[in-house]
Amino acid sequence: ILPVSSATVFDVLQFFTLPTTTGNGYVQRVGKTALECAEVTADNPLCATVILPQGSAGQVVLGTGVCDGTIYTKCSDARSFVLELLGDLGTGYTTTAPATVVLSCDKKFCGGGSIQRNVPVFSQGGNTPLEGVPACPAKGVANAVGACVDYVQSTRDNAGDTHLYVLFTRDLRGSCC
């Protein structure tokens, strides 16, 4: 691995997994400091569920870092964390067959009002600032470049917690709302 030449880098300060190859139907819940995060609550307000229906062509690494409120992360550490997925997803992921991250957010931070006002921030560059994710063009269809939020699939459960479906076709780094 070559060192990053930018002054802005993704700091894995909380958690990361060892590289692993995934099979079809890979699903992994990722919390702020570990795999298998608990249900979202006011004290643990975000959980990310990575879904790779076609697995990976090579190794995948998941990591989390802090939201420091800077232009680089655009999120608050009190309610979120930065998720990073690095991997060889191969050529099987397309706009009509994307990978998914479901961002589950506690009602205290993401409840009430239109679900569309919850806009996650993502980047597909390891050292580029996080930007707001646009809406997907249709249910289950990712953008040709970058990630998108499938607001048609996104839901609010009976507890009032929000579950945003972010579709993508290659590595990403991001956080919720």
Side-chain angles (χ1 to χ4, degrees):
I1 296 178
L2 297 174
V4 175
S5 61
S6 170
T8 307
V9 297
F10 175 74
D11 254 339
V12 178
L13 298 176
Q14 296 170 318
F15 165 76
F16 75 96
T17 64
L18 295 175
T20 184
T21 302
T22 67
N24 288 347
Y26 176 82
V27 176
Q28 182 62 65
R29 290 175 54 110
V30 182
K32 192 174 199 174
T33 59
L35 295 176
E36 299 303 330
C37 53
E39 292 300 314
V40 291
T41 64
D43 293 330
N44 184 28
L46 178 68
C47 179
T49 304
V50 176
I51 303 168
L52 303 177
Q54 300 171 50
S56 63
Q59 294 183 327
V60 171
V61 175
L62 297 172
T64 62
V66 297
C67 287
D68 59 11
T70 64
I71 291 173
Y72 176 63
T73 65
K74 295 184 181 175
C75 54
S76 163
D77 191 47
R79 61 190 264 192
S80 197
F81 59 89
V82 177
L83 167 73
E84 185 171 48
L85 179 145
L86 300 172
D88 181 1
L89 299 184
T91 58
Y93 292 97
T94 65
T95 57
T96 56
T100 305
V101 170
V102 180
L103 298 171
S104 299
C105 179
D106 182 68
K107 63 185 167 282
K108 177 179 176 183
F109 299 105
C110 303
S114 167
I115 203 165
Q116 285 85 356
R117 59 169 247 237
N118 295 285
V119 179
V121 289
F122 273 81
S123 169
Q124 289 191 304
N127 61 350
T128 56
L130 300 177
E131 299 292 337
V133 178
C136 292
K139 181 179 179 178
V141 178
N143 288 338
V145 177
C148 65
V149 183
D150 188 337
Y151 286 112
V152 177
Q153 286 190 78
S154 297
T155 63
R156 192 164 280 129
D157 65 21
N158 290 337
D161 299 332
T162 298
H163 306 279
L164 297 175
Y165 283 68
V166 178
L167 309 182
F168 62 99
T169 58
R170 52 174 238 150
D171 299 356
L172 61 84
R173 185 174 59 82
S175 187
C176 189
C177 320

